[in-house]
Amino acid sequence: MLRILKYSFFDLTRSWWNLVYFAFFLLVTFSLLYLSSDLSNAMISLMNIITILIPLVGTLFGVMHYYNSKEFTELLLAQPIKRKDIFLGQYLGLAVSLSAGFIVGLCVPFFMYGIFHSELFSQFIYLLATGILLTFTFSSISFLIALNNNNKMKGFALALVFWLFMAIVYDGLFLLLLVQFDEYPLEKFALGVSLFNPIDLSRVIIMLKLDIAALLGYTGAVFKLFFGSYTGVILSFSMLFVWSVAPILVTLKVASKKDF
Amino acid sequence: MKIFYLSIFTLFLIKSATYQSKAHILKVCASCNYTTITGAVRDAKAGDSVIVEKGNYFERDITITKPIFLIGIGYPVIDGESRGEIITVESDSVTIAGFQIQNVGTSYIKDQAGIQVKGKYCQVLDNVLLNTFFGIYLQKAHFTLIQNNRITGKAINQISSGNAIHVWDSKNIKVLNNEVRNHRDGIYLEFVDESLIENNISEYNLRYGLHFMFSNDDDYLNNVFRDNGAGVAVMFSRNIQMIGNTFDHNWGSSSYGLLLKEIYDGKIEKNTFSQNTIGIYGESANRIIIERNTFMNNGWALKILGSCMDNVISGNNFSGNTFNLSTNARKNYNIYDGNYWSDYTGYDLNRDGIGDVPYRPVKLYAYLVETVPTSILLLRSMFTEFLNFAEKVNPTFTPEGLIDQSPQMKKFDL
């Protein structure tokens, strides 16, 4: 498995797209840090980019990578290698290379800015952690989608629809519910709902860590009470973890039974 | 310091000249005739001066019943040892200057202060007050001047804390160049008319930096309110002029820069509101002119509720606020005109500096948050951006007529 991971990791890191991805984060982070009046504002803007763009790129890369390396996969399948190793290796190769691009792209400007000596260091770690978990989540889900669809177009479309649902439609439905059931105390409910969308969850976790949390008022206070507690932090991060691990487990299961 | 001595000295000369023959100087120090301030104050006659030399004086409940000058040289320390009040003025025309007054007792029954003034035409100048329950407390002290004092309290919670400068039922008060911090309210005015609050710094107070209750025709100018529970609260008052103040970083889940409640005919001009959760919160505020202010990086620059009428908001700079304006009203009874809004995206074909497309300050999402508070959770999510965009293209929900018809293309140079 490690060898396959290594091959696909080096294959991907050398690819043009991954370089663009890295350069994009480098540029955006640099310019945000340079243009924003304070670190907190730059982090909020970065959070917006991370929670929207990382899932999108993760999704598209995942599908693309699966279809591109399909022949290679089939070749490997003919060899005496475990299916689990093949798919896990390829998936990890993708997720790790994307994360690496993101981590380096984000870290270099922040380190140069002196994040180690800033009081926002823990917030920066949150930003990094959610970004990585989101990469893993969305690339694994897109792998699963691609595996289930031999038709490329359908695979791409489904993956995009999934991203669209998580990034936008989910919030729309969420808002609709909040407006409909306005008379009821909805804080706990809202807390539950946000746990089930990795994008919302990441956004809320980061936002509560930053100054902007003061705008969230009473609802924010309820959330802060939850996310500020150990159980809250553990539960929210384990939820993000589940989001990033569960799809790949399903993928491996499906892959082991699939007739190629 | 030199200037201070000089000014005290000249003041002293002038005053002693007016009282000429009968004015005496009573000195207080460890080796003087008087070793306690209480003793000297008791023996002093009207017009006399009590000069206190540098040193520590463990005294409290010093009561002044005659018009005298009580002057400290080199900031002598009067320590109340956290029991009772320190100086009580029960006469008109008393001057207290140049002391360090510390450790006022906390009481739940009496309003104990570092300096309590119950007479008219008094002056409280150049004092340092530390660890106070109430700092300077005026009651029916018309025409009193409070200047150049530094008052630092010990407030931890609102119940067991007092105000740094507390003025009750007085007219023509002047509060100038003071620094007040760590109290419940920095400056509290109740039934105070025709008074001036200028060049003060009020910070780290639990409740308000400056608090008006039932006070009319007052001005507060060029003050700084920073990191208070709320910067300034103006309640049940008329004709308040608020000019040139800075409201900075009054930040927290229920913080305001300026809270207006039941107020009429005021003017808010040339102030700077930066990094407040809510810049101006208006509830039943009427006929207020809000002009040439700067609103920067606030959560909400303005929150004007439906109970506000006939206010004019024009010529202001709004930049970098999460929400520029939010309201719970379906109709608009205020005038918004000729402001600069940093998120304005219109164009200006005839290049007259005024945008050709009207600007709608209330975003749909801001309106939603006002009606369904829980929806604030979707702050900064992509969906809300879409929502705002859709509403901008085809306005249906945001209040009718709440439009800036002449939004500025360029930021005002204020």
Side-chain angles (χ1 to χ4, degrees):
Chain A
M1 184 195 91
L2 277 176
R3 186 167 292 171
I4 297 169
L5 192 162
K6 211 169 80 186
Y7 277 128
S8 54
F9 177 74
F10 283 119
D11 180 35
L12 279 162
T13 39
R14 267 176 306 178
S15 88
W16 176 241
W17 285 110
N18 212 314
L19 270 177
V20 169
Y21 188 57
F22 157 72
F24 171 80
F25 271 111
L26 197 71
L27 203 73
V28 163
T29 314
F30 259 127
S31 49
L32 277 176
L33 286 176
Y34 180 70
L35 291 174
S36 278
S37 47
D38 69 333
L39 209 57
S40 187
N41 276 351
M43 281 197 173
I44 292 169
S45 309
L46 264 175
M47 175 199 81
N48 267 353
I49 293 168
I50 287 173
T51 53
I52 295 302
L53 206 76
I54 286 193
L56 180 62
V57 171
T59 309
L60 289 180
F61 265 48
V63 182
M64 217 155 69
H65 180 62
Y66 179 85
Y67 288 131
N68 280 348
S69 58
K70 203 170 177 194
E71 283 168 12
F72 177 57
T73 313
E74 278 164 6
L75 182 77
L76 284 176
L77 283 170
Q79 310 298 317
I81 311 171
K82 278 191 195 158
R83 281 192 170 188
K84 199 183 103 192
D85 290 350
I86 297 172
F87 287 97
L88 201 60
Q90 286 198 341
Y91 159 68
L92 286 178
L94 170 76
V96 170
S97 66
L98 278 179
S99 304
F102 161 68
I103 292 169
V104 179
L106 203 67
C107 280
V108 169
F110 267 103
F111 285 174
M112 284 173 71
Y113 200 81
I115 187 72
F116 280 121
H117 308 291
S118 164
E119 65 240 48
L120 287 174
F121 185 66
S122 70
Q123 283 85 332
F124 170 70
I125 294 295
Y126 267 69
L127 212 60
L128 216 57
T130 49
I132 294 167
L133 285 169
L134 281 176
T135 308
F136 275 76
T137 305
F138 279 85
S139 47
S140 66
I141 287 171
S142 60
F143 245 64
L144 183 58
I145 290 171
L147 187 68
N148 280 319
N149 294 282
N150 283 332
N151 184 338
K152 269 191 193 181
M153 285 323 289
K154 209 175 154 196
F156 266 110
L158 273 175
L160 268 179
V161 165
F162 178 75
W163 171 80
L164 208 64
F165 179 79
M166 283 306 190
I168 300 167
V169 180
Y170 191 90
D171 289 345
L173 296 174
F174 185 18
L175 189 62
L176 207 64
L177 281 175
L178 291 181
V179 173
Q180 281 299 319
F181 297 100
D182 186 29
E183 281 84 29
Y184 300 89
L186 286 173
E187 281 75 24
K188 292 253 166 67
F189 166 76
L191 201 70
V193 171
S194 61
L195 280 178
F196 287 98
N197 181 343
I199 295 181
D200 274 352
L201 188 57
S202 312
R203 187 170 49 80
V204 170
I205 289 175
I206 298 170
M207 226 162 39
L208 285 174
K209 277 264 149 195
L210 293 168
D211 275 355
I212 199 172
L215 302 190
L216 302 183
Y218 172 70
T219 317
V222 172
F223 269 62
K224 207 157 194 171
L225 209 64
F226 174 74
F227 285 112
S229 67
Y230 274 114
T231 21
V233 172
I234 291 167
L235 190 66
S236 54
F237 270 96
S238 44
M239 203 63 200
L240 275 181
F241 191 68
V242 166
W243 264 108
S244 58
V245 170
I248 198 62
L249 291 180
V250 179
T251 308
L252 293 178
K253 194 148 195 182
V254 172
S256 66
K257 285 184 189 147
K258 190 173 156 85
D259 186 13
F260 281 92
Chain B
M1 211 63 222
K2 241 177 196 166
I3 294 167
F4 164 67
Y5 282 130
L6 265 175
S7 64
I8 293 293
F9 188 65
T10 43
L11 192 88
F12 172 70
L13 275 182
I14 296 162
K15 291 291 178 182
S16 54
T18 51
Y19 285 98
Q20 276 182 355
S21 57
K22 46 184 180 170
H24 298 280
I25 297 173
L26 290 79
K27 281 208 163 189
V28 183
C29 65
S31 56
C32 300
N33 283 346
Y34 294 100
T35 51
T36 64
I37 301 168
T38 315
V41 164
R42 188 189 54 225
D43 291 354
K45 302 204 167 46
D48 286 354
S49 300
V50 175
I51 306 285
V52 182
E53 304 263 322
K54 201 175 167 113
N56 291 316
Y57 302 88
F58 295 92
E59 297 183 51
R60 57 181 168 275
D61 300 317
I62 303 166
T63 309
I64 302 173
T65 52
K66 287 150 278 185
I68 59 165
F69 302 92
L70 180 58
I71 288 159
I73 304 293
Y75 290 101
V77 176
I78 312 180
D79 193 326
E81 295 173 282
S82 299
R83 281 176 288 166
E85 186 155 286
I86 296 180
I87 299 178
T88 313
V89 177
E90 293 180 350
S91 157
D92 293 350
S93 310
V94 173
T95 298
I96 299 174
F99 288 95
Q100 177 172 330
I101 296 172
Q102 62 188 37
N103 299 332
V104 178
T106 302
S107 165
Y108 295 94
I109 305 158
K110 267 183 74 187
D111 289 347
Q112 298 174 152
I115 302 171
Q116 171 127 225
V117 181
K118 297 176 183 169
K120 304 181 199 78
Y121 307 101
C122 291
Q123 295 186 315
V124 180
L125 314 167
D126 299 289
N127 299 290
V128 176
L129 288 89
L130 292 174
N131 230 349
T132 45
F133 176 50
F134 280 85
I136 299 170
Y137 195 120
L138 310 188
Q139 291 187 47
K140 294 187 181 291
H142 311 307
F143 298 97
T144 288
L145 169 67
I146 303 177
Q147 194 170 8
N148 292 341
N149 300 286
R150 269 185 291 143
I151 312 175
T152 309
K154 51 182 176 180
I156 296 163
N157 58 50
Q158 284 197 20
I159 305 158
S160 62
S161 56
N163 307 322
I165 297 176
H166 183 107
V167 186
W168 180 76
D169 197 9
S170 306
K171 281 199 171 90
N172 298 89
I173 304 294
K174 280 189 177 141
V175 180
L176 313 173
N177 302 333
N178 300 285
E179 286 177 29
V180 295
R181 50 176 72 89
N182 297 94
H183 282 78
R184 185 177 55 197
D185 288 347
I187 302 169
Y188 178 89
L189 311 173
E190 189 170 349
F191 307 111
V192 175
D193 298 342
E194 289 149 52
S195 295
L196 173 67
I197 318 288
E198 195 171 356
N199 285 333
N200 301 285
I201 297 175
S202 180
E203 56 192 5
Y204 308 113
N205 297 295
L206 295 180
R207 199 170 61 182
Y208 304 127
L210 168 61
H211 188 176
F212 287 86
M213 292 293 273
F214 315 107
S215 298
N216 305 323
D217 307 304
D218 300 311
D219 297 351
Y220 67 93
L221 321 169
N222 304 326
N223 302 286
V224 176
F225 305 100
R226 192 185 295 133
D227 284 303
N228 300 294
V232 176
V234 185
M235 304 186 184
F236 309 99
S237 300
R238 287 165 185 275
N239 279 326
I240 309 284
Q241 310 290 315
M242 322 175 205
I243 299 170
N245 301 288
T246 303
F247 301 79
D248 187 24
H249 205 264
N250 298 293
W251 189 262
S253 55
S254 57
S255 287
Y256 310 98
L258 172 56
L259 169 66
L260 306 173
K261 190 176 165 67
E262 298 289 341
I263 121 158
Y264 302 89
D265 301 306
K267 194 177 212 181
I268 301 173
E269 205 179 271
K270 291 187 206 157
N271 300 288
T272 304
F273 296 83
S274 68
Q275 283 201 315
N276 304 289
T277 309
I278 300 172
I280 299 181
Y281 179 88
E283 203 179 302
S284 306
N286 299 299
R287 301 191 294 274
I288 313 271
I289 294 170
I290 303 178
E291 260 181 4
R292 286 188 278 171
N293 300 288
T294 302
F295 296 87
M296 243 169 20
N297 301 337
N298 300 289
W300 284 264
L302 298 173
K303 205 171 212 179
I304 305 288
L305 300 192
S307 51
C308 299
M309 281 175 77
D310 303 324
N311 300 295
V312 179
I313 294 100
S314 81
N316 302 290
N317 278 334
F318 291 86
S319 59
N321 305 299
T322 307
F323 302 103
N324 280 331
L325 172 63
S326 114
T327 179
N328 60 356
R330 290 305 298 264
K331 276 224 161 92
N332 174 40
Y333 302 100
N334 303 300
I335 298 166
Y336 298 85
D337 196 42
N339 298 288
Y340 168 80
W341 313 88
S342 63
D343 59 344
Y344 177 63
T345 50
Y347 46 83
D348 178 20
L349 283 183
N350 57 359
R351 308 232 163 238
D352 60 351
I354 296 167
D356 298 345
V357 188
Y359 174 80
R360 294 177 165 268
V362 179
K363 299 275 169 285
L364 175 56
Y365 179 54
Y367 181 75
L368 255 174
V369 167
E370 204 53 46
T371 40
V372 187
T374 328
S375 62
I376 188 74
L377 270 181
L378 295 172
L379 181 66
R380 296 246 156 208
S381 74
M382 206 166 155
F383 182 72
T384 56
E385 300 294 322
F386 279 120
L387 219 56
N388 286 341
F389 181 72
E391 176 73 7
K392 192 173 148 191
V393 175
N394 181 22
T396 39
F397 292 99
T398 44
E400 227 179 293
L402 207 171
I403 297 174
D404 190 332
Q405 290 288 4
S406 44
Q408 299 295 310
M409 296 305 290
K410 280 212 177 96
K411 209 170 187 168
F412 290 104
D413 200 10
L414 296 175

